[in-house]
């Protein structure tokens, strides 16, 4: 399973966006205050989510607890719980059900990250060793299953079964997206349309469900629920496009995870799809040759081929379109702190550190 998003909204990009400097250097020191000011309207609920997350995953086996503690380092800024809680807050009052559901979506997301690292044979996430690198694929797969099973156990405690059905539908779509991507590995003729279908299912669908659940459980009407679902879907697509750009041209020390895995696993992403559609014939032929080669330096050579081309900027422009679509979906919401934070979060997607 592959999720959503993979690299979370970084503290450096948050600070840089708010100071207007665009510089990541030294930003981390002020990030805690910036984040706290942005999420102050849901601070109590975020604290409760942390407690529910820890209590639900606690085991009487020390070895299991050690794995859970390690994977908890990958949680970043909890984008998906933020989306759920802010969507609820933008539509009305938050309840205990929102806290439970925010913990549920974080568990689902964490499971997809752990499974994703197995599929990609990744060694690094958030500047730390992945579970599969530390303990092997067997432990990583079982830990991902452990997270998924606990998410359903937690969700089943709610009076309404609506959330359980929506979470089940979403995890099915995440798996479908990953299976569609696997089916298209090494397909150098992959279309942009199919690429968008893949990332919509495997990444954006969970973000959309977060916003749907948050607004639905706050008592919002169908029109408003639909607007927030569109916001989540759009920000999720933009997030994955940006993530795919970072996998090609990011710096591992800044992004904090193993890069180049898309190329190594034969996953065609938007910059490469655009390049193969628009570049001069000899450059297209070179990229095709590199993608099918076993050269040790092929990732670096592909990066050097794509960087001077318009294809990276094209992918960024497509991500920007989805960010604007997300912001547009918020226009009819009341002008509240929660709505303003959702709007600001959309801008963070495009300013993540390279």
């Amino acid at each position: 399973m592959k999720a959503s998003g993979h690299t979370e909204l970084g503290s450096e990009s948050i600070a840089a966006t708010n100071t207007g400097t665009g510089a990541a250097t030294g930003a981390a020191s002020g990030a805690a205050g910036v984040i706290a000011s942005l999420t102050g309207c849901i601070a109590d609920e975020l604290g409760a989510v942390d407690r529910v997350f820890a209590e639900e995953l606690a085991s009487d086996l020390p070895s299991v607890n050690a794995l859970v503690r390690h994977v908890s380092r990958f949680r970043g800024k909890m984008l998906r719980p933020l989306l759920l809680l802010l969507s609820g807050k933008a539509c009305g009052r938050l309840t205990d059900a929102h806290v439970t559901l925010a913990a549920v979506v974080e568990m689902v997301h964490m499971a997809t990250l752990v499974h994703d690292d197995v599929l990609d044979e990744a060694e690094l996430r958030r500047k730390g060793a992945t579970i599969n690198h530390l303990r092997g694929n067997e432990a990583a797969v079982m830990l991902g299953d452990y997270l998924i099973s606990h998410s359903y156990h937690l969700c089943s405690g709610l009076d309404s079964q609506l959330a359980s059905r929506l979470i089940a539908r979403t995890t099915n779509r995440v798996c479908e997206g990953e299976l569609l991507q696997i089916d298209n590995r090494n397909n150098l003729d992959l279309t942009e349309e199919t690429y968008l279908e893949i990332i919509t299912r495997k990444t954006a669908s969970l973000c959309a469900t977060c916003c749907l659940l948050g607004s639905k459980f706050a008592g919002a009407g169908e029109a408003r629920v639909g607007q927030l679902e569109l916001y989540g879907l759009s920000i999720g697509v933009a997030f994955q496009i940006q993530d795919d750009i970072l996998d090609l041209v990011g710096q591992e020390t800044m992004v904090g995870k193993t890069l180049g895995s898309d190329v190594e696993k034969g996953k065609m992403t938007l910059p490469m799809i655009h390049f193969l559609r628009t570049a001069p014939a000899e450059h297209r032929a070179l990229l095709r040759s590199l993608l099918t080669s076993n050269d040790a330096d092929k990732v670096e050579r592909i990066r050097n081929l794509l960087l001077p081309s318009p294809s990276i900027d094209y992918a960024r422009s497509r991500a920007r379109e989805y960010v604007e679509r997300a912001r547009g979906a918020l226009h009819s919401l009341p002008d509240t702190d929660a709505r303003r934070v959702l709007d600001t979060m959309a801008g963070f997607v495009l300013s993540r550190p390279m």
Side-chain angles (χ1 to χ4, degrees):
M1 294 171 65
K2 185 165 184 175
S4 46
H6 324 306
T7 305
E8 293 291 357
L9 296 173
S11 57
E12 295 90 346
S13 66
I14 290 173
T17 299
N18 281 272
T19 61
T21 65
T25 305
S29 61
V34 172
I35 296 167
S37 67
L38 285 174
T39 60
C41 61
I42 55 168
D44 291 343
E45 289 81 6
L46 280 174
V49 170
D50 277 332
R51 292 191 293 274
V52 170
F53 187 93
E55 290 167 4
E56 175 64 30
L57 295 178
S59 171
D60 60 352
L61 297 175
S63 58
V64 174
N65 289 329
L67 288 173
V68 169
R69 281 195 302 273
H70 184 80
V71 81
S72 292
R73 297 176 62 241
F74 303 161
R75 291 175 62 192
K77 301 299 176 289
M78 299 203 300
L79 172 63
R80 287 143 199 89
L82 280 172
L83 288 174
L84 194 148
L85 294 174
L86 288 167
S87 294
K89 189 75 169 179
C91 294
R93 186 176 61 88
L94 295 179
T95 65
D96 290 343
H98 284 97
V99 171
T100 297
L101 290 170
V104 165
V105 297
E106 183 71 351
M107 288 177 195
V108 171
H109 172 58
M110 296 308 303
T112 65
L113 291 186
V114 174
H115 284 167
D116 188 40
D117 287 338
V118 173
L119 292 173
D120 289 345
E121 300 179 47
E123 298 181 357
L124 185 69
R125 181 173 290 282
R126 294 201 64 80
K127 303 181 182 180
T130 58
I131 294 292
N132 51 295
H133 182 60
L134 282 178
R135 300 295 299 274
N137 287 343
E138 296 91 342
V141 169
M142 292 311 301
L143 179 61
D145 292 347
Y146 182 80
L147 289 161
I148 284 285
S149 64
H150 271 283
S151 74
Y152 283 109
H153 177 262
L154 187 57
C155 204
S156 68
L158 296 174
D159 292 336
S160 169
Q161 291 306 301
L162 171 66
S164 294
R165 291 196 298 271
L166 288 173
I167 291 293
R169 184 187 73 180
T170 303
T171 52
N172 286 341
R173 287 180 64 80
V174 171
C175 291
E176 287 170 349
E178 191 61 52
L179 288 168
L180 182 59
Q181 184 166 67
I182 291 170
D183 190 53
N184 280 281
R185 278 186 183 174
N186 301 307
N187 176 9
L188 305 189
D189 297 313
L190 185 71
T191 65
E192 184 172 329
E193 180 182 16
T194 302
Y195 164 80
L196 290 171
E197 179 67 23
I198 290 168
I199 68 173
T200 296
R201 289 176 183 267
K202 76 174 189 178
T203 299
S205 60
L206 182 55
C207 294
T209 296
C210 291
C211 296
L212 186 159
L213 287 170
S215 54
K216 192 82 171 175
F217 275 75
E222 289 304 314
R224 186 145 292 170
V225 169
Q227 290 168 334
L228 280 158
E229 185 179 16
L230 175 61
Y231 169 87
L233 193 75
S234 301
I235 201 174
V237 171
F239 192 93
Q240 188 59 56
I241 292 174
Q242 181 71 0
D243 204 63
D244 291 344
I245 294 170
L246 293 177
D247 190 74
L248 275 172
V249 301
Q251 298 177 29
E252 202 162 277
T253 54
M254 289 292 292
V255 178
K257 67 171 188 171
T258 302
L259 300 181
S261 61
D262 291 336
V263 170
E264 295 291 355
K265 290 296 179 179
K267 300 178 184 179
M268 295 298 294
T269 56
L270 190 54
M272 292 184 284
I273 292 168
H274 180 265
F275 189 91
L276 289 175
R277 191 174 71 224
T278 63
E282 63 272 22
H283 291 176
R284 297 199 304 270
L286 176 57
L287 179 57
R288 284 178 175 270
S289 174
L290 288 169
L291 286 168
T292 56
S293 77
N294 294 318
D295 296 347
D297 63 344
K298 76 174 185 178
V299 173
E300 186 62 27
R301 292 177 67 190
I302 289 172
R303 178 182 290 117
N304 292 336
L305 182 62
L306 287 173
L307 272 174
S309 78
S311 296
I312 300 297
D313 283 341
Y314 173 79
R316 288 194 182 111
S317 72
R318 292 291 281 143
R320 192 175 301 111
E321 288 173 18
Y322 280 96
V323 165
E324 291 309 312
R325 185 178 302 178
R327 284 177 155 161
L330 301 175
H331 283 166
S332 65
L333 269 67
D335 185 15
T336 61
D337 287 345
R339 177 196 155 172
R340 288 192 289 272
V341 176
L342 287 170
D343 184 76
T344 302
M345 284 174 62
F348 289 163
V349 172
L350 301 176
S351 61
R352 291 158 59 196
M354 298 296 286

